[in-house]
CSV table of all heavy atoms in Angstrom, one decimal:
chain,number,residue,atom,x,y,z
A,335,THR,N,6.2,-4.1,-7.9
A,335,THR,CA,6.1,-5.6,-7.6
A,335,THR,C,5.2,-5.9,-6.4
A,335,THR,O,4.3,-6.7,-6.5
A,335,THR,CB,7.5,-6.2,-7.5
A,335,THR,OG1,8.2,-5.9,-8.7
A,335,THR,CG2,7.4,-7.7,-7.3
A,336,PRO,N,5.5,-5.3,-5.2
A,336,PRO,CA,4.6,-5.6,-4.1
A,336,PRO,C,3.2,-5.1,-4.4
A,336,PRO,O,2.2,-5.7,-4.0
A,336,PRO,CB,5.2,-4.9,-2.9
A,336,PRO,CG,6.2,-3.9,-3.4
A,336,PRO,CD,6.6,-4.5,-4.7
A,337,ALA,N,3.1,-3.9,-5.0
A,337,ALA,CA,1.7,-3.4,-5.3
A,337,ALA,C,0.9,-4.2,-6.2
A,337,ALA,O,-0.3,-4.2,-6.1
A,337,ALA,CB,1.9,-1.9,-5.8
A,338,ALA,N,1.6,-5.0,-7.1
A,338,ALA,CA,0.8,-5.9,-8.0
A,338,ALA,C,0.0,-6.9,-7.2
A,338,ALA,O,-1.0,-7.4,-7.7
A,338,ALA,CB,1.8,-6.5,-9.0
A,339,PHE,N,0.5,-7.3,-6.0
A,339,PHE,CA,-0.2,-8.2,-5.2
A,339,PHE,C,-1.3,-7.6,-4.3
A,339,PHE,O,-2.1,-8.3,-3.8
A,339,PHE,CB,0.8,-9.0,-4.3
A,339,PHE,CG,1.7,-9.9,-5.1
A,339,PHE,CD1,2.8,-9.5,-5.7
A,339,PHE,CD2,1.3,-11.3,-5.2
A,339,PHE,CE1,3.6,-10.3,-6.5
A,339,PHE,CE2,2.2,-12.1,-6.0
A,339,PHE,CZ,3.3,-11.7,-6.6
A,340,LEU,N,-1.2,-6.3,-4.1
A,340,LEU,CA,-2.1,-5.6,-3.1
A,340,LEU,C,-3.0,-4.5,-3.6
A,340,LEU,O,-3.7,-3.9,-2.8
A,340,LEU,CB,-1.1,-5.0,-2.0
A,340,LEU,CG,-0.2,-6.0,-1.3
A,340,LEU,CD1,0.8,-5.2,-0.4
A,340,LEU,CD2,-1.0,-7.0,-0.5
A,341,SER,N,-2.9,-4.2,-4.9
A,341,SER,CA,-3.7,-3.1,-5.4
A,341,SER,C,-4.1,-3.3,-6.9
A,341,SER,O,-3.6,-4.2,-7.5
A,341,SER,CB,-3.0,-1.8,-5.3
A,341,SER,OG,-1.8,-1.8,-6.1
A,342,HIS,N,-5.0,-2.5,-7.4
A,342,HIS,CA,-5.4,-2.5,-8.8
A,342,HIS,C,-5.4,-1.1,-9.3
A,342,HIS,O,-6.4,-0.3,-9.0
A,342,HIS,CB,-6.8,-3.1,-8.9
A,342,HIS,CG,-6.9,-4.5,-8.2
A,342,HIS,ND1,-6.7,-5.7,-8.9
A,342,HIS,CD2,-7.2,-4.8,-6.9
A,342,HIS,CE1,-6.9,-6.7,-8.1
A,342,HIS,NE2,-7.2,-6.2,-6.9
A,343,VAL,N,-4.5,-0.7,-10.1
A,343,VAL,CA,-4.4,0.7,-10.7
A,343,VAL,C,-3.9,0.6,-12.1
A,343,VAL,O,-3.2,-0.4,-12.5
A,343,VAL,CB,-3.5,1.6,-9.9
A,343,VAL,CG1,-4.1,1.8,-8.5
A,343,VAL,CG2,-2.1,1.1,-9.8
A,344,VAL,N,-4.3,1.6,-12.9
A,344,VAL,CA,-3.8,1.6,-14.3
A,344,VAL,C,-2.5,2.3,-14.5
A,344,VAL,O,-1.9,2.2,-15.5
A,344,VAL,CB,-4.9,2.3,-15.2
A,344,VAL,CG1,-6.2,1.5,-15.2
A,344,VAL,CG2,-5.1,3.7,-14.8
A,345,ASP,N,-1.9,2.9,-13.4
A,345,ASP,CA,-0.6,3.6,-13.5
A,345,ASP,C,0.2,3.3,-12.2
A,345,ASP,O,-0.2,3.7,-11.2
A,345,ASP,CB,-0.8,5.1,-13.7
A,345,ASP,CG,0.6,5.7,-14.0
A,345,ASP,OD1,1.6,5.1,-13.8
A,345,ASP,OD2,0.6,6.9,-14.3
A,346,ARG,N,1.3,2.6,-12.3
A,346,ARG,CA,2.1,2.2,-11.2
A,346,ARG,C,2.6,3.5,-10.4
A,346,ARG,O,3.0,3.4,-9.3
A,346,ARG,CB,3.3,1.4,-11.7
A,346,ARG,CG,4.2,2.1,-12.6
A,346,ARG,CD,5.4,1.3,-13.1
A,346,ARG,NE,6.4,1.2,-12.1
A,346,ARG,CZ,7.6,0.6,-12.2
A,346,ARG,NH1,7.8,-0.1,-13.4
A,346,ARG,NH2,8.4,0.5,-11.3
A,347,GLY,N,2.6,4.6,-11.1
A,347,GLY,CA,3.1,5.8,-10.5
A,347,GLY,C,2.1,6.5,-9.5
A,347,GLY,O,2.4,7.4,-8.8
A,348,ASP,N,0.9,6.0,-9.4
A,348,ASP,CA,-0.2,6.6,-8.6
A,348,ASP,C,0.0,6.0,-7.2
A,348,ASP,O,-0.9,5.2,-6.7
A,348,ASP,CB,-1.5,6.3,-9.2
A,348,ASP,CG,-2.6,7.1,-8.5
A,348,ASP,OD1,-2.3,7.9,-7.5
A,348,ASP,OD2,-3.8,7.1,-9.0
A,349,ALA,N,1.0,6.4,-6.5
A,349,ALA,CA,1.4,5.8,-5.2
A,349,ALA,C,0.3,6.1,-4.1
A,349,ALA,O,0.0,5.3,-3.3
A,349,ALA,CB,2.7,6.4,-4.7
A,350,LYS,N,-0.4,7.3,-4.2
A,350,LYS,CA,-1.4,7.6,-3.2
A,350,LYS,C,-2.6,6.6,-3.4
A,350,LYS,O,-3.1,6.1,-2.4
A,350,LYS,CB,-1.9,9.0,-3.4
A,350,LYS,CG,-0.9,10.1,-3.0
A,350,LYS,CD,-1.5,11.5,-3.1
A,350,LYS,CE,-0.6,12.5,-2.6
A,350,LYS,NZ,-1.1,13.9,-2.7
A,351,ALA,N,-3.0,6.3,-4.6
A,351,ALA,CA,-4.1,5.4,-4.8
A,351,ALA,C,-3.7,4.0,-4.4
A,351,ALA,O,-4.5,3.3,-3.8
A,351,ALA,CB,-4.6,5.4,-6.3
A,352,ILE,N,-2.5,3.6,-4.7
A,352,ILE,CA,-2.0,2.3,-4.3
A,352,ILE,C,-2.0,2.2,-2.8
A,352,ILE,O,-2.5,1.2,-2.2
A,352,ILE,CB,-0.6,2.0,-4.8
A,352,ILE,CG1,-0.7,1.9,-6.4
A,352,ILE,CG2,0.0,0.8,-4.2
A,352,ILE,CD1,0.7,2.0,-7.0
A,353,ALA,N,-1.5,3.2,-2.1
A,353,ALA,CA,-1.4,3.1,-0.6
A,353,ALA,C,-2.8,3.1,0.0
A,353,ALA,O,-3.1,2.4,1.0
A,353,ALA,CB,-0.6,4.3,-0.1
A,354,ALA,N,-3.7,3.8,-0.6
A,354,ALA,CA,-5.1,3.9,-0.1
A,354,ALA,C,-5.7,2.5,-0.2
A,354,ALA,O,-6.4,2.1,0.7
A,354,ALA,CB,-5.9,4.9,-0.8
A,355,GLN,N,-5.5,1.8,-1.3
A,355,GLN,CA,-6.1,0.5,-1.5
A,355,GLN,C,-5.4,-0.5,-0.5
A,355,GLN,O,-6.1,-1.4,0.1
A,355,GLN,CB,-5.9,0.0,-2.9
A,355,GLN,CG,-6.8,0.7,-3.9
A,355,GLN,CD,-6.6,0.1,-5.3
A,355,GLN,OE1,-6.4,-1.1,-5.5
A,355,GLN,NE2,-6.7,1.0,-6.3
A,356,GLU,N,-4.1,-0.4,-0.3
A,356,GLU,CA,-3.4,-1.3,0.6
A,356,GLU,C,-3.9,-1.1,2.0
A,356,GLU,O,-4.1,-2.1,2.8
A,356,GLU,CB,-1.9,-1.1,0.5
A,356,GLU,CG,-1.3,-1.5,-0.9
A,356,GLU,CD,0.1,-1.2,-1.0
A,356,GLU,OE1,0.7,-0.5,-0.2
A,356,GLU,OE2,0.8,-1.8,-2.0
A,357,ALA,N,-4.1,0.2,2.4
A,357,ALA,CA,-4.6,0.4,3.8
A,357,ALA,C,-6.0,0.0,4.0
A,357,ALA,O,-6.4,-0.4,5.1
A,357,ALA,CB,-4.4,1.9,4.0
A,358,ALA,N,-6.8,0.1,2.9
A,358,ALA,CA,-8.2,-0.2,3.0
A,358,ALA,C,-8.5,-1.8,3.1
A,358,ALA,O,-9.4,-2.2,3.7
A,358,ALA,CB,-9.0,0.3,1.8
A,359,ALA,N,-7.6,-2.5,2.4
A,359,ALA,CA,-7.7,-4.0,2.4
A,359,ALA,C,-6.4,-4.6,2.5
A,359,ALA,O,-5.8,-5.2,1.6
A,359,ALA,CB,-8.4,-4.5,1.1
A,360,PRO,N,-5.7,-4.5,3.7
A,360,PRO,CA,-4.4,-5.0,3.9
A,360,PRO,C,-4.3,-6.5,4.0
A,360,PRO,O,-5.3,-7.1,4.4
A,360,PRO,CB,-3.9,-4.3,5.2
A,360,PRO,CG,-5.2,-4.2,6.0
A,360,PRO,CD,-6.3,-3.9,5.0
A,361,PRO,N,-3.2,-7.1,3.7
A,361,PRO,CA,-3.0,-8.5,4.0
A,361,PRO,C,-2.8,-8.6,5.5
A,361,PRO,O,-2.9,-7.6,6.3
A,361,PRO,CB,-1.7,-8.8,3.3
A,361,PRO,CG,-0.9,-7.5,3.3
A,361,PRO,CD,-2.0,-6.4,3.2
A,362,THR,N,-2.6,-9.9,6.0
A,362,THR,CA,-2.4,-10.1,7.4
A,362,THR,C,-1.2,-9.3,7.9
A,362,THR,O,-1.3,-8.7,9.0
A,362,THR,CB,-2.2,-11.6,7.7
A,362,THR,OG1,-3.3,-12.3,7.1
A,362,THR,CG2,-2.2,-11.9,9.2
A,363,ILE,N,-0.2,-9.2,7.1
A,363,ILE,CA,1.0,-8.4,7.5
A,363,ILE,C,1.7,-8.0,6.2
A,363,ILE,O,1.8,-8.8,5.2
A,363,ILE,CB,2.0,-9.2,8.4
A,363,ILE,CG1,3.1,-8.3,8.9
A,363,ILE,CG2,2.5,-10.5,7.7
A,363,ILE,CD1,3.9,-8.9,10.0
A,364,ALA,N,2.1,-6.7,6.2
A,364,ALA,CA,2.9,-6.2,5.1
A,364,ALA,C,4.1,-5.4,5.7
A,364,ALA,O,3.9,-4.6,6.5
A,364,ALA,CB,2.1,-5.3,4.2
A,365,ILE,N,5.3,-5.7,5.2
A,365,ILE,CA,6.5,-5.1,5.8
A,365,ILE,C,7.3,-4.6,4.6
A,365,ILE,O,7.6,-5.3,3.6
A,365,ILE,CB,7.4,-6.1,6.6
A,365,ILE,CG1,6.5,-6.8,7.7
A,365,ILE,CG2,8.6,-5.4,7.2
A,365,ILE,CD1,7.3,-7.9,8.4
A,366,GLY,N,7.7,-3.3,4.7
A,366,GLY,CA,8.6,-2.7,3.7
A,366,GLY,C,8.7,-1.2,4.0
A,366,GLY,O,8.6,-0.8,5.1
A,367,GLY,N,9.0,-0.5,2.9
A,367,GLY,CA,9.1,1.0,3.0
A,367,GLY,C,7.8,1.6,2.6
A,367,GLY,O,6.8,1.0,2.5
A,368,GLY,N,7.9,3.0,2.4
A,368,GLY,CA,6.7,3.7,1.9
A,368,GLY,C,5.9,4.4,3.0
A,368,GLY,O,4.8,4.8,2.7
A,369,ALA,N,6.5,4.7,4.1
A,369,ALA,CA,5.7,5.4,5.2
A,369,ALA,C,5.2,6.7,4.7
A,369,ALA,O,4.2,7.2,5.2
A,369,ALA,CB,6.6,5.6,6.4
A,370,GLN,N,5.9,7.4,3.8
A,370,GLN,CA,5.4,8.7,3.3
A,370,GLN,C,4.0,8.7,2.7
A,370,GLN,O,3.3,9.7,2.6
A,370,GLN,CB,6.4,9.3,2.3
A,370,GLN,CG,6.5,8.4,1.0
A,370,GLN,CD,7.4,9.0,0.0
A,370,GLN,OE1,7.5,10.2,-0.2
A,370,GLN,NE2,8.3,8.1,-0.6
A,371,TRP,N,3.5,7.5,2.3
A,371,TRP,CA,2.2,7.4,1.6
A,371,TRP,C,1.1,6.9,2.6
A,371,TRP,O,0.0,6.9,2.2
A,371,TRP,CB,2.3,6.4,0.5
A,371,TRP,CG,3.4,6.7,-0.5
A,371,TRP,CD1,4.5,6.0,-0.7
A,371,TRP,CD2,3.5,7.8,-1.4
A,371,TRP,NE1,5.3,6.6,-1.7
A,371,TRP,CE2,4.7,7.7,-2.1
A,371,TRP,CE3,2.6,8.9,-1.6
A,371,TRP,CZ2,5.0,8.7,-3.1
A,371,TRP,CZ3,3.0,9.8,-2.5
A,371,TRP,CH2,4.2,9.7,-3.3
A,372,PHE,N,1.5,6.6,3.8
A,372,PHE,CA,0.5,6.1,4.8
A,372,PHE,C,0.3,7.1,5.9
A,372,PHE,O,1.2,7.0,6.9
A,372,PHE,CB,0.8,4.7,5.3
A,372,PHE,CG,0.9,3.7,4.2
A,372,PHE,CD1,2.2,3.3,3.6
A,372,PHE,CD2,-0.2,3.0,3.8
A,372,PHE,CE1,2.3,2.4,2.7
A,372,PHE,CE2,-0.1,2.0,2.8
A,372,PHE,CZ,1.1,1.7,2.2
A,373,ALA,N,-0.7,7.9,5.9
A,373,ALA,CA,-0.9,8.8,7.0
A,373,ALA,C,-1.2,8.1,8.3
A,373,ALA,O,-0.7,8.4,9.4
A,373,ALA,CB,-2.0,9.8,6.7
A,374,HIS,N,-2.2,7.2,8.2
A,374,HIS,CA,-2.6,6.4,9.4
A,374,HIS,C,-2.7,4.9,9.0
A,374,HIS,O,-3.8,4.4,8.8
A,374,HIS,CB,-4.0,6.9,9.9
A,374,HIS,CG,-4.0,8.4,10.3
A,374,HIS,ND1,-3.3,8.8,11.4
A,374,HIS,CD2,-4.5,9.4,9.6
A,374,HIS,CE1,-3.5,10.2,11.4
A,374,HIS,NE2,-4.2,10.5,10.4
A,375,PRO,N,-1.6,4.3,8.9
A,375,PRO,CA,-1.6,2.9,8.4
A,375,PRO,C,-2.3,1.9,9.4
A,375,PRO,O,-2.2,2.2,10.6
A,375,PRO,CB,-0.1,2.5,8.2
A,375,PRO,CG,0.6,3.4,9.2
A,375,PRO,CD,-0.2,4.7,9.2
A,376,PRO,N,-3.0,0.9,8.9
A,376,PRO,CA,-3.5,-0.1,9.8
A,376,PRO,C,-2.4,-0.9,10.5
A,376,PRO,O,-1.3,-0.9,10.0
A,376,PRO,CB,-4.4,-0.9,8.9
A,376,PRO,CG,-3.8,-0.8,7.6
A,376,PRO,CD,-3.3,0.6,7.5
A,377,PRO,N,-2.7,-1.5,11.6
A,377,PRO,CA,-1.7,-2.3,12.3
A,377,PRO,C,-1.0,-3.3,11.5
A,377,PRO,O,0.2,-3.7,11.7
A,377,PRO,CB,-2.4,-2.9,13.5
A,377,PRO,CG,-3.6,-2.1,13.7
A,377,PRO,CD,-4.0,-1.6,12.3
A,378,ALA,N,-1.6,-3.8,10.4
A,378,ALA,CA,-1.0,-4.9,9.6
A,378,ALA,C,0.1,-4.3,8.7
A,378,ALA,O,1.0,-5.1,8.2
A,378,ALA,CB,-2.1,-5.5,8.7
A,379,ILE,N,0.2,-3.0,8.5
A,379,ILE,CA,1.2,-2.4,7.6
A,379,ILE,C,2.3,-1.9,8.4
A,379,ILE,O,2.1,-1.0,9.2
A,379,ILE,CB,0.5,-1.4,6.7
A,379,ILE,CG1,-0.4,-2.0,5.7
A,379,ILE,CG2,1.6,-0.6,5.9
A,379,ILE,CD1,-1.1,-1.1,4.7
A,380,HIS,N,3.5,-2.4,8.2
A,380,HIS,CA,4.7,-1.9,8.9
A,380,HIS,C,5.6,-1.3,7.9
A,380,HIS,O,6.4,-1.9,7.2
A,380,HIS,CB,5.4,-3.1,9.5
A,380,HIS,CG,4.5,-3.9,10.5
A,380,HIS,ND1,4.5,-3.7,11.8
A,380,HIS,CD2,3.6,-4.9,10.2
A,380,HIS,CE1,3.7,-4.5,12.4
A,380,HIS,NE2,3.1,-5.2,11.5
A,381,ALA,N,5.5,0.0,7.7
A,381,ALA,CA,6.3,0.8,6.8
A,381,ALA,C,7.5,1.3,7.6
A,381,ALA,O,7.4,2.2,8.5
A,381,ALA,CB,5.5,2.0,6.2
């Protein structure tokens, strides 16, 4: 559900690709879980 607003992938299970897209073009702020997928998250992403 959150990824539908922040990424574009053909398989919802591709968490690495989703995280990469979210990190590359983050919203002003994103708060939730998922720290395992973000090695170096931008300041806008709070996992």
Side-chain angles (χ1 to χ4, degrees):
T335 303
F339 289 83
L340 300 173
S341 66
H342 306 266
V343 296
V344 296
D345 186 354
R346 61 180 286 181
D348 194 353
K350 287 185 178 180
I352 293 168
Q355 290 184 33
E356 292 176 345
T362 308
I363 187 168
I365 305 174
Q370 63 180 319
W371 305 112
F372 299 96
H374 303 288
I379 292 181
H380 302 263

